[in-house]
Amino acid sequence: MHPNRAFAWEDREALLRFVVDHPFAHIFTAADDGLFVVHAPVLATEDGNVLFHVAKRNRIAAQLPDRRVLISISGREAYQSANWYASENQVPTWHYEAVEIEGTAHPLSEGELVEVLDRLSERFEQLHQPKQPWTRRKMEPGKFEAMTKAIVGFEVVPSEWRGTRKFNQHKSGEDVAATIAGQKEAGREDIVQAIDEATAAK
């Protein structure tokens, strides 16, 4: 996370909502055999735990059980030109928001894994196919069970949450206004909204 305290993001409920809204993560671990990362969708529970699954053939799968992991999730991001400031002697930078979660990955039982898969599909089908959502009941008998044997699920109970929200909220009012004008010109209304949120939270 960024070392500047001006960008520290510590609202636990906001961090949890961020994970819910940005459910695709990079999940890292380290072992004697080296460094490992997998890219996977995650589910955040109401109590703040994180659930995910990976293919058993993925090289990280055998390394995950009961090992510490780092889950990294990013959101809105954009380039900032030094021309988009009112002040002189500025340099380009990058706007971004990100959350890191540390904890130990505990294997799920087969029944728990199926529950996670059902919850994943239900959530995203309701977002993208609410009128005719897909469910595993649409599969031929035995197909889902056979495919489930090729994956393994995990639950992470976080020991630490870290967040960074870096959108020039530490700059002067003139530079923030100039930043917004530059991002609008670049067509980045999402970054303009992020700047508004970050400066309002100061």
Side-chain angles (χ1 to χ4, degrees):
M1 295 285 96
H2 200 287
N4 190 332
R5 290 295 301 167
F7 307 134
W9 191 14
E10 298 174 330
D11 183 335
R12 180 67 174 271
E13 289 187 8
L15 297 180
L16 182 57
R17 287 196 302 272
F18 180 85
V19 175
V20 170
D21 293 339
H22 301 80
F24 197 75
H26 296 73
I27 303 167
F28 302 87
T29 196
D32 292 340
D33 292 337
L35 301 175
F36 301 86
V37 61
V38 66
H39 316 93
V42 298
L43 274 178
T45 65
E46 291 184 1
D47 55 4
N49 294 348
V50 180
L51 305 164
F52 67 94
H53 68 282
V54 301
K56 287 183 178 178
R57 293 180 59 189
N58 192 302
R59 60 190 293 269
I60 199 175
Q63 308 296 334
L64 286 172
D66 300 316
R67 194 180 297 278
R68 287 188 62 77
V69 298
L70 172 65
I71 301 172
S72 177
I73 302 175
S74 60
R76 295 166 292 188
E77 50 79 24
Y79 176 72
Q80 171 73 23
S81 170
N83 288 331
W84 300 340
Y85 288 113
S87 302
E88 299 293 332
N89 300 313
Q90 300 290 321
V91 295
T93 189
W94 211 276
H95 299 293
Y96 70 95
E97 57 190 353
V99 170
E100 292 178 355
I101 304 164
E102 285 191 36
T104 301
H106 302 289
L108 298 177
S109 68
E110 184 175 333
E112 291 169 331
L113 171 60
V114 170
E115 182 180 350
V116 169
L117 298 175
D118 284 344
R119 288 173 61 185
L120 267 174
S121 60
E122 179 181 9
R123 180 182 172 209
F124 294 106
E125 288 292 320
Q126 287 300 319
L127 285 174
H128 302 290
Q129 287 281 292
K131 294 183 179 179
Q132 292 183 314
W134 178 91
T135 72
R136 58 189 168 95
R137 287 183 291 277
K138 293 188 175 184
M139 302 179 72
E140 295 178 9
K143 287 287 188 181
F144 177 82
E145 291 75 12
M147 296 177 74
T148 302
K149 294 185 185 302
I151 60 178
V152 59
F154 295 92
E155 179 175 24
V156 175
V157 179
S159 59
E160 189 170 353
W161 289 74
R162 293 185 293 271
T164 286
R165 186 166 49 183
K166 179 179 179 289
F167 293 106
N168 270 355
Q169 63 266 41
H170 65 310
K171 295 288 188 181
S172 69
E174 287 187 349
D175 280 331
V176 170
T179 295
I180 289 173
Q183 292 295 337
K184 283 185 175 180
E185 185 177 351
R188 295 301 304 271
E189 292 294 336
D190 58 330
I191 301 301
V192 171
Q193 180 180 350
I195 294 168
D196 288 340
E197 293 170 1
T199 52
K202 286 176 62 176

